[in-house]
Each structure stands twice: as C-alpha cells, then as structure tokens.
C-alpha cells in the first residue's frame, strides 16, 4: 500500500469514489435510505468502494467487485471492530459473513450505516443521523464531542476548575502574592534605571524627577556622587536577585499545585470513562480517549504553569504601567497605546484560523494514538498474518501527516508573532519620533 493512496482517501469527490457510489445506488428505483463509503476489501487492500440499501436488498461495491444481498436472507447485522479496521458482519445460511469493511476513520459512518441496515432488515424506520450541530448557534460540534465550545457556560467551567483547586488553595494564594511581588519589582526596575541615567550617567538640568528620586533624597543619596551611584547599582542588583528568587519560588509552587490539580482531573476523567456504557465507549476510539486523558490534561498543565501566571503578571504590570504613564503625561500614553487596537484586531482575525489548524493537529494525534492502540492490542494478529509492512506504512502516513500539519501551524504562528511584536513596539517609535 502506498502513501499516495491514503492521501487520495481524503478526497471525497474523487472520480473513482463517485463511480462506486453510482454503481451502488444505481440498482435502486429511488434514492436508497442507507448509503456509505468503504476503503478496504476483505484482504485489507485499499479500494474505492461504496454501499447502498433499501428495505429489500444491500449492494456493496468494492473496487471492481459488486455484491448483492437480500436483507431477508441475513441475520442480525452487527458492527465488528478489528485491528485498525471496522466491519459489518451478519449470518447467512448459518454461516458468519463479512458484508463490508473500512479503516477506523469510517467508524462513525459505519455505526450509522449498520443501525440503518438493521432497521431496514427488521422492518423498522431508519433512524435519522444526528445533526452533530449546536441547536443554539448551529455550529458543528468538535470531533468526538457533543459540547459547543462557543455556547458552553464559561462561568460554569471556571467554577468546576476552581473546585479542582480547592485542595491547593494555600499554595495558589502564595503563588498569587509572589506574582504581585514580582510584578511590583518589574515596575520598579525601569524606574531605577531611569534614575540612574538622569541622576548619574547623563544628569539632566534640574535633577532627576519622580518618586524614586524623592526616595533617594529622603535617604540622603545625592545625585552625581559616587556613593549615590553605588547605592543605585546595589539596589538594582538586589531587586534583580529578589525578582529571580520570587519567580523561582512562584514557578515551584505553581508546578506543585498544577500537578495536584491535573492528578485530580485525570482521576475524574478516568472514572468517567469507566462509568460509560458499552455504547458510549464504542462511540469513541481508544486513541481519542488516550488523547483526552494524557494529551489534553498535559496541555492544561502547561497552561496552568506557563501561560496563566504570565498572563496574570502581564495584566497586573499593564495596569500599573498605564497608571504611571497617565500620571506622567496623557499624550505620551496615547502614543504608546495607539497600536493596541490594531494588535487586538490582528489576533481576533487569526483566532479562528489558529484554533482550526491546531484542532486539526489534535485530531491527527488522536488518530495516531488510535492506530497504535489497535496495533499493539492486536500485535499477535499482526505477527500471525504478516502485516508488519502494512502497519509500518500506516504509521508512517500518520506521522507524516502530523509533521506536515505541525509545520504549517508553526509557520503561520511564527509569521503572526513577529508582526504583532512590531505593532506592540510601534508606540515606542512614535514616542521617540515626537518626544525625542
């Protein structure tokens, strides 16, 4: 099996697939109530195929081969899950037969097809396919989910998240206090640098101004003296070391608290999976469940350790800096924040794109985990039937898809971030141009 074959499988409008659909549905006087696509034959070879059925018969086209079954001659039609494949099976004349098969990408469509075939065989009404869309906004649900991320109650999610953090409330309060302390030091350091330049390195007429200069005068440190210079340098070194220690302690506390929170979340998720019914478990592939339990929780841990503390610290510093700027000169503040609306507009415009492409990477990672689970759980069958080369090619295709998607994601992200950094510092250029 070649890699190119798998790439073509994503093209639902391929001429070969269209011809297979026409052959399958052409044997019915009206549009058949059940139709589906397949991509494997009984020997696990890649094919273009399709199937269709009404209340009397089932027609399956697999490559150049077409099979027709009378539904009245078949027993219960059931969905069978194999090593990396899914198939529909039944009984005919007391013998088990396989009706059609495909790889795990078609599991959901096969589930609907088998339910429809069994309803036709039993003389019942074919169940309608679930819309898979949010009834409130009409957006499609994410793959493997029945929750709309746009309409979900965000406050409720935050309350649930806060519930997981109750056991580490003291650690989180301590991390918050250290964050405020680090933010204060971050605001103080530039003021010390300004006092160092204006009071000692390049003294300005009338002396340095600001509350740092007032504090230095209160302490008896005269501008332009060696003792004053030494005191300012020592203060900068002290606050630099203090800031490093504060940030280190905050990271350690945050890491400990987030690890405890993730353990609780993983325990709840595992318990939820264990409590699912058999139908609920079969609706989700093992790869998806593995990605939820390991990959998603790992991303949440990284968010709690790296992104959230930085976001909070930068927010505190932003408020403090705006207050200082406004107290200094409101015109200067206007120049500084002038590029901010353009920056917000840029990120708002690329938000949907980045969400879509990174969600695609998540799906591919889930598919790879699913394939590995099927292969490892059925490694004996792989060895017995000698399909190592085929499984290697399948994994190679999955790995290449993840690599290509990840490369595209990083290219887009790294094209946006430098431009946004330029916009962020554009206010500084305006200040230099007009103020000097």
């Amino acid at each position: 099996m070649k890699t190119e074959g798998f790439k073509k499988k994503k093209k639902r409008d391929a001429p070969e697939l269209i011809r297979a659909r026409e052959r399958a549905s052409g044997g019915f006087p009206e549009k058949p109530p059940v139709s589906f696509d397949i991509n494997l034959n009984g020997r696990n070879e890649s094919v273009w195929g399709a199937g269709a059925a009404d209340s009397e018969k089932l027609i399956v086209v697999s490559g150049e081969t077409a099979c027709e079954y009378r539904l009245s001659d078949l027993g219960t039609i059931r969905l069978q899950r194999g090593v990396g494949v899914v198939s529909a099976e039944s009984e005919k004349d007391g013998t088990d037969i396989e009706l059609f098969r495909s790889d795990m990408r078609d599991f959901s469509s096969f589930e609907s097809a088998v339910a429809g075939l069994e309803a036709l065989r039993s003389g019942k009404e074919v169940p309608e396919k679930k819309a898979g869309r949010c009834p409130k906004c009409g957006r499609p649900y994410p793959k493997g989910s029945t929750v709309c991320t746009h309409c979900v109650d965000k406050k409720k999610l935050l309350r649930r998240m806060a519930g997981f953090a109750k056991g580490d409330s003291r650690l989180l309060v301590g991390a918050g206090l250290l964050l405020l302390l680090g933010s204060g030091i971050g605001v103080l350091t530039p003021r010390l640098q300004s006092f160092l330049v204006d009071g000692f390195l390049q003294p300005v007429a009338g002396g340095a101004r600001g509350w740092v200069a007032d504090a230095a005068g209160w302490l008896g440190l005269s501008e332009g003296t060696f003792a004053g210079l030494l005191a300012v340098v020592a203060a900068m070194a002290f606050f630099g070391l203090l800031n490093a220690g504060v940030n280190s302690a905050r990271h350690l506390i945050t890491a400990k608290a987030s690890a405890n929170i993730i353990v609780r979340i993983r325990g709840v998720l595992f318990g939820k999976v264990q409590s699912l019914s058999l139908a609920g478990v079969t609706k989700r592939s093992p790869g998806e469940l593995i990605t939820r339990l390991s990959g998603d929780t790992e991303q949440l841990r990284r968010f709690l350790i790296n992104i959230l503390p930085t976001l909070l610290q930068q927010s505190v510093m932003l408020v403090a800096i705006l207050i200082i700027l406004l107290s200094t000169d409101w015109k200067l503040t206007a120049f500084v924040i002038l590029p901010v609306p353009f920056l917000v507009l840029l990120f708002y415009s690329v938000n949907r794109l980045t969400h879509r492409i990174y969600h695609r990477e998540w799906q591919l990672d889930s598919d790879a985990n699913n394939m590995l689970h099927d292969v490892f759980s059925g490694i004996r069958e792989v060895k017995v039937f000698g399909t190592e080369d085929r499984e290697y090619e399948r994994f190679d295709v999955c790995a290449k898809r993840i690599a290509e998607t990840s490369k595209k994601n990083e290219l887009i992200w790294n094209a946006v971030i430098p431009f946004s950094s330029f916009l962020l510092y554009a206010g500084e250029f305006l200040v230099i141009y007009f103020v000097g």
Side-chain angles (χ1 to χ4, degrees):
M1 188 182 301
K2 297 182 180 180
T3 302
E4 296 178 357
F6 277 97
K7 291 182 179 179
K8 290 181 180 179
K9 291 292 183 265
K10 302 304 290 182
K11 297 182 179 179
R12 295 299 183 184
D13 57 347
E16 297 91 339
L17 182 56
I18 294 176
R19 286 196 293 269
R21 291 171 177 170
E22 291 175 348
R23 287 182 61 192
S25 59
F28 301 92
E30 299 179 355
K31 182 179 178 180
V34 174
S35 59
F36 50 89
D37 298 334
I38 63 177
N39 57 36
L40 294 176
N41 60 17
R43 296 183 297 275
N44 275 352
E45 296 173 341
S46 179
V47 297
W48 298 103
D54 62 4
S55 58
E56 296 182 359
K57 61 183 178 181
L58 163 67
I59 298 178
V60 179
V61 176
S62 178
E64 300 299 326
T65 305
C67 298
E68 181 174 329
Y69 305 93
R70 305 289 300 181
L71 291 182
S72 58
D73 296 337
L74 300 177
T76 301
I77 301 174
R78 56 190 181 274
L79 190 68
Q80 185 66 33
R81 194 172 191 160
V83 180
V85 299
V86 59
S87 61
E89 298 181 355
S90 185
E91 293 181 1
K92 184 178 180 181
D93 300 329
T95 304
D96 289 337
I97 62 171
E98 182 180 275
L99 301 176
F100 48 88
R101 69 164 54 190
S102 189
D103 60 31
M104 291 302 297
R105 288 175 295 176
D106 290 329
F107 180 83
S108 298
S109 63
F110 269 36
E111 190 177 35
S112 300
V114 168
L117 290 172
E118 183 59 22
L120 291 174
R121 191 191 68 85
S122 305
K124 299 178 182 178
E125 186 177 353
V126 176
E128 295 183 2
K129 293 183 179 180
K130 294 183 179 180
R133 291 181 176 272
C134 175
K136 184 179 295 185
C137 67
R139 292 186 176 94
Y141 290 129
K143 182 181 177 182
S145 176
T146 56
V147 177
C148 179
T149 56
H150 296 274
C151 301
V152 68
D153 189 351
K154 307 297 192 302
K155 294 182 179 179
K156 183 178 180 181
L157 292 179
L158 290 175
R159 287 195 296 268
R160 290 189 63 184
M161 190 67 190
F164 289 109
K166 284 184 178 179
D168 297 285
S169 56
R170 293 184 178 179
L171 291 176
L172 294 176
V173 169
L177 294 176
L178 290 176
L179 185 144
L180 292 175
L181 179 59
S183 301
I185 296 174
V187 174
L188 174 63
T189 302
R191 306 297 294 179
L192 288 174
Q193 293 174 347
S194 176
F195 178 63
L196 176 66
V197 173
D198 294 342
F200 299 92
L201 301 182
Q202 292 181 351
V204 296
R209 292 179 297 175
W211 57 270
V212 174
D214 296 338
W218 181 76
L219 293 173
L221 299 175
S222 302
E223 298 179 19
T225 63
F226 179 75
L229 175 63
L230 186 63
V232 174
V233 172
M236 292 179 63
F238 170 75
F239 283 112
L241 289 174
L242 179 61
N243 191 35
V246 167
N247 286 332
S248 178
R250 178 174 61 81
H251 282 301
L252 290 174
I253 294 175
T254 305
K256 182 178 180 179
S258 63
N260 294 337
I261 293 172
I262 295 303
V263 167
R264 298 188 192 101
I265 293 176
R266 283 178 175 170
V268 172
L269 280 176
F270 186 76
K272 182 65 176 178
V273 172
Q274 295 285 10
S275 65
L276 288 174
S277 63
L278 182 60
V281 172
T282 54
K283 286 181 180 179
R284 294 169 174 81
S285 63
E288 181 186 339
L289 296 177
I290 292 172
T291 304
R292 293 288 185 193
L293 283 169
S294 59
D296 288 5
T297 51
E298 175 63 19
Q299 291 293 332
L300 182 58
R301 186 189 69 83
R302 293 177 183 175
F303 172 78
L304 292 175
I305 292 179
N306 300 324
I307 300 177
L308 183 60
T310 303
L311 178 63
L312 293 175
Q313 186 176 34
Q314 294 299 322
S315 300
V316 173
M317 292 185 65
L318 176 63
V319 174
I321 291 172
L322 282 177
I323 293 175
I324 294 174
L325 285 174
L326 288 172
S327 62
T328 304
D329 190 341
W330 69 268
K331 295 180 180 179
L332 185 67
T333 307
F335 280 124
V336 172
I337 67 175
L338 182 63
V340 172
F342 299 99
L343 191 64
V344 173
L345 182 63
L346 173 64
F347 277 101
Y348 179 80
S349 60
V350 301
N351 178 58
R352 290 186 179 181
L353 174 62
T354 55
H355 181 272
R356 184 170 65 251
I357 60 179
Y358 278 101
H359 183 67
R360 173 61 179 161
E361 185 176 348
W362 181 92
Q363 290 177 335
L364 291 174
D365 187 59
S366 176
D367 293 340
N369 285 335
N370 184 49
M371 193 213 71
L372 289 173
H373 176 273
D374 289 338
V375 171
F376 291 153
S377 62
I379 193 66
R380 293 183 179 179
E381 289 83 353
V382 172
K383 293 292 184 181
V384 168
F385 292 101
T387 59
E388 292 92 340
D389 291 340
R390 176 179 178 274
E391 300 303 334
Y392 173 80
E393 290 178 0
R394 289 179 59 210
F395 178 76
D396 186 57
V397 170
C398 289
K400 287 181 179 178
R401 283 178 178 170
I402 294 175
E404 291 175 359
T405 304
S406 178
K407 182 174 66 175
K408 292 179 181 178
N409 295 349
E410 294 303 321
L411 285 174
I412 294 174
W413 184 252
N414 286 287
V416 172
I417 291 300
F419 186 67
S420 63
S421 299
F422 170 77
L423 286 179
L424 185 62
Y425 289 103
E428 182 178 348
F429 303 149
L430 293 174
V431 172
I432 294 174
Y433 178 77
F434 287 101
V435 180

